[in-house]
């Protein structure tokens, strides 16, 4: 018996929809953060906790989403987790206090975690190598679309109907994804409930954490994409409080980040006609380093403004688009049998890096110093981790070649 297979087109469409739930739920919300300070008569620090709670739920739930996706199947686990996401969104709409809103955002993050896990897992289930990387490139475009247009949509929605309407949009999106899971998503693996046994889960995560190829590739991804999540915590206060943009203007300013990431993904898709995804990683990392240096220096030398903050952010975002597809496939390559947990642990590290970066940034009294110190450090860490990945990958390939050679050499005659 084999699992039913989806075609390339359906796989790409469903994966792009699923992966967007996490970034969209974050991006729609960011323009409302300063307004929520007044709505709940609280402080900026407390409102930041609502975003931190979402990050925490999203990151920690990844570790459960992976085993559920491997044990119950991609389709059933998606339906369950999206149900949790809908409940969290409804609670946010009706939240009477900021404490309830924090809990609601935590529940939202728990439910949204399944999107990134299942989107990556179904691609790894069905496709490998260059084709898998090309599909991940499509998913990256979708992952950029949500944060590219989300803040603008959130800002306009809030201006027309208030902050409650933003969470109503999330409820509607949750029902839409649930419908996709029920009617369009076909199972890509044979579910195995034994994978939910705690000992089996721990063994799988231990194997992943002990693999240098997976670990270093995941650190490259986590440091690079974690910049986006950390920026979601820091940029609203940088651009609206320090620079002086309105919520709607801030929403459109985020196109520097997400729109450039999308443009980078589109240009990468064009370049894939001539180059392999692996050849684009080093140019991408060079752009990340250049953007990091620019963000660390420009706001202090030239003053904080839209261009001195968002232009370096845009350069880094363009570079991230070039490294993401290949590094995702590279990290998951050794683990086709536990693709769900591999995708989940990578996602956990991404969100964990964003959460850590945002938390460290919160300790800075000046948001300009926060973003110019934390984000560049993450970009430089991504480049350093790639050097370690290359060493680990070369070592693994030599070992595989030696093992294959040993299997074909006949044993000496006695």
């Amino acid at each position: 018996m084999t699992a039913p297979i989806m075609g390339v087109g359906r796989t790409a469409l469903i994966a792009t929809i699923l992966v967007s739930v996490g970034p969209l739920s974050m991006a729609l919300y960011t323009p409302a953060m300063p307004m929520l300070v007044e709505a709940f008569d609280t402080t900026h620090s407390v409102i930041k906790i609502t975003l931190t709670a979402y990050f925490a739920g999203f990151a920690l739930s990844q570790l459960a989403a992976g085993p559920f996706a491997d044990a119950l199947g991609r389709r059933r686990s998606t339906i369950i987790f999206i149900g949790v996401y809908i409940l969290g969104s409804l609670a946010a709409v009706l939240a009477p206090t900021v404490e309830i809103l924090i809990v609601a955002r935590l529940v939202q993050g728990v439910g949204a975690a399944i999107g990134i896990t299942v989107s990556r897992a179904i691609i790894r289930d069905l496709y490998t190598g260059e084709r898998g990387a090309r599909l991940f490139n499509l998913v990256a475009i979708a992952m950029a679309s949500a944060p590219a247009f989300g803040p603008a949509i959130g800002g306009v929605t809030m201006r027309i109907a208030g902050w409650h309407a933003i969470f109503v949009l999330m409820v509607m999106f949750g029902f839409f994804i649930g419908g996709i899971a029920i009617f369009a998503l076909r199972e890509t693996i044979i579910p195995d409930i034994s994978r939910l046994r705690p000992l089996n889960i721990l063994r799988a995560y231990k194997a992943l954490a002990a693999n240098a190829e997976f670990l270093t590739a995941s650190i490259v991804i986590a440091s690079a994409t974690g910049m986006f999540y950390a920026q979601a915590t820091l940029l609203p206060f940088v651009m609206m409080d320090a620079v002086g943009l309105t919520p709607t203007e801030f929403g459109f300013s985020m196109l520097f980040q997400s729109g450039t990431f999308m443009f980078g993904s589109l240009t990468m898709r064009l370049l894939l006609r001539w180059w392999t995804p692996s050849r684009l990683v080093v140019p991408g990392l060079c752009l990340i380093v250049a953007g990091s240096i620019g963000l660390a220096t420009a706001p202090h030398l030239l003053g904080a403004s839209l261009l001195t903050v968002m232009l370096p952010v845009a350069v880094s975002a363009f570079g991230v688009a070039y490294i993401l597809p290949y590094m995702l496939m590279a990290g998951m390559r050794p683990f086709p049998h536990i693709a769900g947990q591999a995708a989940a642990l990578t996602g956990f590290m991404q969100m964990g890096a964003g959460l850590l970066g945002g938390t460290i940034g919160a300790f800075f009294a000046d948001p300009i110093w926060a973003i110019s110190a934390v984000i560049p450090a993450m970009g430089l860490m991504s480049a350093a981790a790639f050097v370690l990945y290359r060493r680990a990958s070369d070592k693994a390939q030599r070992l595989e070649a030696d093992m294959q050679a040993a299997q074909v050499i006949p044993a000496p005659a006695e």
Side-chain angles (χ1 to χ4, degrees), residues 23-388:
L24 187 64
S25 300
M26 177 181 64
L28 282 172
Y29 174 74
T30 50
M33 291 176 68
M35 177 178 284
L36 291 173
V37 174
E38 298 180 10
F40 288 101
D41 191 23
T42 184
T43 65
H44 287 171
S45 298
V46 173
I47 292 301
K48 284 181 181 179
I49 295 175
T50 65
L51 193 55
T52 302
Y54 178 81
F55 282 151
F58 196 108
L60 294 173
S61 186
Q62 293 280 328
L63 299 179
F68 270 95
D70 287 337
L72 302 181
R74 314 310 190 200
R75 181 176 177 272
R76 189 185 304 176
S77 57
T78 300
I79 294 170
I80 293 171
F81 275 77
I82 288 300
V84 174
Y85 171 82
I86 292 171
L87 289 176
S89 301
L90 287 170
V93 173
L94 303 173
T97 66
V98 71
E99 290 80 12
I100 299 297
L101 183 62
I102 290 171
V103 174
R105 290 293 282 169
L106 176 68
V107 174
Q108 270 192 313
V110 170
I114 199 66
I116 193 170
T117 298
V118 168
S119 66
R120 292 174 178 176
I122 60 176
I123 292 175
R124 182 60 185 86
D125 290 340
L126 303 178
Y127 304 101
T128 57
E130 298 297 323
R131 176 169 285 186
R134 291 174 187 271
L135 282 173
F136 275 128
N137 172 253
L138 280 175
V139 170
I141 294 171
M143 197 165 73
S145 299
F149 301 108
I153 295 171
V156 172
T157 300
M158 185 180 67
R159 184 174 182 179
I160 295 172
W163 65 266
H164 292 88
I166 292 176
F167 292 111
V168 173
L169 284 180
M170 295 183 193
V171 172
M172 295 169 61
F173 188 49
F175 278 109
F176 173 71
I177 293 179
I180 292 292
I182 293 170
F183 298 109
L185 176 60
R186 298 171 65 185
E187 191 52 70
T188 58
I189 63 166
I190 299 174
D192 181 1
I193 196 67
S194 68
R195 291 173 179 169
L196 271 184
R197 294 173 184 166
L199 189 59
N200 289 344
I201 293 173
L202 292 175
R203 284 172 178 166
Y205 279 132
K206 182 179 178 181
L208 290 166
N211 185 276
E213 238 185 316
F214 171 84
L215 192 60
T216 52
S218 295
I219 292 174
V220 173
I221 296 167
S223 300
T225 59
M227 291 191 297
F228 291 170
Y229 300 123
Q231 286 165 4
T233 303
L234 302 175
L235 278 175
F237 299 97
V238 171
M239 302 309 297
M240 286 186 275
D241 290 348
V243 177
L245 300 185
T246 67
T248 302
E249 289 171 340
F250 165 71
F252 283 103
S253 76
M254 289 300 289
L255 290 173
F256 274 88
Q257 180 207 68
S258 323
T260 306
F261 180 77
M262 184 191 304
F263 182 64
S265 299
L266 291 170
T267 59
M268 179 185 183
R269 189 157 189 81
L270 180 64
L271 291 174
L272 288 177
R273 297 178 181 179
W274 305 285
W275 290 0
T276 61
S278 59
R279 291 185 62 188
L280 296 172
V281 174
V282 172
L285 287 169
C286 290
L287 288 170
I288 291 173
V289 171
S292 298
I293 294 172
L295 187 58
T297 57
H300 301 289
L301 295 177
L302 303 175
S305 68
L306 177 66
L307 289 181
T308 58
V309 174
M310 296 308 294
L311 192 58
V313 166
V315 173
S316 292
F318 195 96
V320 173
Y322 275 31
I323 74 168
L324 195 56
Y326 176 77
M327 296 310 301
L328 282 170
M329 286 301 301
M332 297 174 68
R333 183 192 66 84
F335 300 100
H337 56 295
I338 50 171
Q341 286 191 248
L345 186 54
T346 301
F348 168 77
M349 292 175 68
Q350 285 180 254
M351 293 301 297
L355 175 61
L356 180 61
T359 302
I360 293 173
F363 285 102
F364 286 77
D366 185 346
I368 300 298
W369 274 105
I371 200 164
S372 64
V374 174
I375 304 304
M378 296 176 74
L380 296 177
M381 186 180 298
S382 180
F386 180 72
V387 175
L388 299 178

